[in-house]
Amino acid sequence: MAEGMVKVDGQIVNQNVLVSGKNIIQVGAKTGINTPVKENTRIWIYNKPRGCITSHHDPQNRPTVFHHLKQLGLDIPHIISVGWLDYLSEGLLILTNDGDLAQALERPTYKIEWQYRVWAFGRMFNSDKLDKMWTGTMIWGEKYGPYTIEVIKRQSTNTWMHFKLYSGKNNEIRRIMER
């Protein structure tokens, strides 16, 4: 999140801080979200592995994030993910037991920046293609983007990029990369 987005007891937090149920935590102070976290609100960061889904139940019986959490001993009845990563993706997820907080963090109107490190097969990313991705594109009548994209590394058979976006549609980055 952008600098100044988190406050504890009215003070901007720029480093890790120990908090308890007595502290008031605000997320989005610069964007106007200004949603005080309830006293019983809990927030977790979970490193989702590839090969599980961000869902409570899966009709295909694939492993889920919440099944993994129960295996780790975190058996809280109501945990919500803020956003999600698909089955093939891995990375950090924010989890909470506060639905209002989750909704506030997910709203595109607040322009909270989400960052992804993306691997793509091939060296096909020339300046013209990157320009099209930066400005956004239409796919099946729906607008995707704009994005901030930085090429991190080019290799003979693949390219690593750093994506920044402010909202996330289902498989958005995968669809952009396929396009």
Side-chain angles (χ1 to χ4, degrees), residues 72-177:
L72 293 171
L74 186 63
D75 195 8
I76 295 173
H78 186 68
I79 301 177
I80 305 162
S81 73
V82 177
W84 61 280
L85 293 170
D86 66 27
Y87 183 73
L88 295 174
S89 297
E90 61 185 82
L92 290 181
L93 284 176
I94 299 172
L95 306 167
T96 183
N97 63 343
D98 185 335
D100 293 335
L101 174 63
Q103 284 184 352
L105 291 172
E106 289 178 334
R107 286 190 191 125
T109 53
Y110 294 123
K111 300 233 181 244
I112 293 176
E113 181 179 274
W114 298 91
Q115 297 185 28
Y116 299 88
R117 186 170 183 214
V118 177
W119 169 81
F121 183 74
R123 293 183 49 113
M124 60 194 157
F125 297 99
N126 59 32
S127 297
D128 290 340
K129 288 183 181 181
L130 283 173
D131 285 344
K132 287 179 184 176
M133 288 195 300
W134 282 323
T135 58
T137 188
M138 295 291 284
I139 299 176
W140 302 314
E142 191 169 0
K143 173 76 171 160
Y144 287 82
Y147 307 100
T148 303
I149 304 168
E150 174 189 356
V151 174
I152 300 169
K153 184 177 185 181
R154 292 181 195 262
Q155 297 173 315
S156 60
T157 58
N158 56 55
T159 303
W160 285 95
M161 291 168 278
H162 184 228
F163 265 72
K164 294 180 185 177
L165 55 141
Y166 297 97
S167 67
K169 297 177 178 88
N170 185 13
N171 290 313
E172 180 168 355
I173 293 175
R174 288 186 194 285
R175 288 179 180 163
I176 290 297
M177 299 308 293

Side-chain angles (χ1 to χ4, degrees), residues 4-21:
M5 293 283 295
V6 178
K7 289 183 180 181
V8 174
D9 297 329
Q11 300 295 313
I12 293 174
V13 176
N14 293 317
Q15 59 190 19
N16 291 337
V17 205
L18 185 61
V19 295
S20 71

Side-chain angles (χ1 to χ4, degrees), residues 21 48 55 62 157:
K48 179 199 150 323
S55 176
R62 295 172 292 186
T157 58

